[in-house]
């Protein structure tokens, strides 16, 4: 899962990015509204954390432009304490949730998990596919109750496939959702990650759909 963090306060931005990366997400960040608008329009994010008070273009305008351009990713806005009319305007502009500053990182993470889950049509914190279970709160994966040891990229690939269990996911879609913008993207490495995951998972759980991509499915 890939996130965009839009926050112009450098310390808070770095803190957000660090804690979300530690939770297993690929994270991009923007420190002003113009960069944010561009990234959100051009790149594929599973959720966005958007501060409303931003230089160059304010957060509300950024959000309205994304929605007008047909971008539907879940957006959680950050607002100043007591500014209730800003929250109302944000939700009216297409925000899915909000947090008032200062907030606890745990609450932000829980709200993001809920947004991503709902966007994928899931109601529970645990996603499963056959013997495979992902606990989105702890970012741990178990097979038949046994913990799987995964690298961060293997985790991102598997988590994305689990959020779309039984659906075909193309290599380019996978690579868009597991890498941050500034990283070296090579769709060949997706094959490497899938190859390693196959060795760790029960046989045939990751099916190659020729010419289309991969599908995670419960073993027959
Ligand atoms: Ca701000």
């Amino acid at each position: 899962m890939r996130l965009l963090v839009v926050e112009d306060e450098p310390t808070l931005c770095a803190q957000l990015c660090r804690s979300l990366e530690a939770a297993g997400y690929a994270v991009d960040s923007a420190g002003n509204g113009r960069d944010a608008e561009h990234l959100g329009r051009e790149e594929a994010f599973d959720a966005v954390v958007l501060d409303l008070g931003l230089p160059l273009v304010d957060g509300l305008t950024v959000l309205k432009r994304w929605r007008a351009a047909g971008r539907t990713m879940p957006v959680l806005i950050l607002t100043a304490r007591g500014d209730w009319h800003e929250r109302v305007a944000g939700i009216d502009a297409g925000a899915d949730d909000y947090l008032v500053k200062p907030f606890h990182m745990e609450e932000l993470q829980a709200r993001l998990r809920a947004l991503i889950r709902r966007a994928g049509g899931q109601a529970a914190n645990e996603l499963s596919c056959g013997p495979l279970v992902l606990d989105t709160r702890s970012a741990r994966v178990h097979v038949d109750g046994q913990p799987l040891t995964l690298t961060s990229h293997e985790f991102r690939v598997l988590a994305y496939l689990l959020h779309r269990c039984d659906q075909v996911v193309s290599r380019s879609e996978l690579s868009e959702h597991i890498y941050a913008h500034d990283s070296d993207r090579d769709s060949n490495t997706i094959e490497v990650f899938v190859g390693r995951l196959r060795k760790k998972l029960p046989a045939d759980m990751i099916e190659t759909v020729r010419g289309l991509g991969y599908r995670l499915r419960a073993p027959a």
Side-chain angles (χ1 to χ4, degrees), residues 101-180:
K101 290 179 176 180
F103 52 85
H104 288 281
M105 210 54 86
E106 288 81 0
E107 183 174 4
L108 177 90
Q109 298 227 10
R111 287 177 181 274
L112 284 174
R113 285 195 297 273
L115 288 178
I116 292 169
R117 202 164 74 204
R118 286 202 298 266
Q122 314 272 357
N125 273 311
E126 286 193 344
L127 302 181
S128 63
C129 179
L132 201 62
V133 178
L134 165 68
D135 185 335
T136 59
R137 289 161 300 189
S138 62
R140 297 246 160 77
V141 182
H142 288 78
V143 174
D144 287 325
Q146 297 298 310
L148 266 191
T149 307
L150 300 171
T151 65
S152 63
H153 282 103
E154 288 166 8
F155 174 80
R156 288 179 196 165
V157 170
L158 187 56
Y160 193 80
L161 289 172
L162 259 165
H163 276 87
R164 283 162 183 68
C165 188
D166 287 324
Q167 298 171 30
V168 179
V169 177
S170 71
R171 264 185 213 103
S172 61
E173 181 180 347
L174 265 177
S175 109
E176 280 172 359
H177 287 266
I178 70 160
Y179 291 118

Side-chain angles (χ1 to χ4, degrees), residues 5-9 30-34 36-37 49-63 66 86 101:
V5 170
V6 185
E7 170 58 61
D8 59 316
E9 208 276 286
N32 65 63
R34 199 177 50 204
E37 188 191 341
V49 178
L50 177 67
D51 182 33
L52 290 187
L54 293 172
L56 302 183
V57 183
D58 70 274
L60 209 55
T61 303
V62 170
L63 178 56
W66 283 341
E86 196 179 64
K101 290 179 176 180

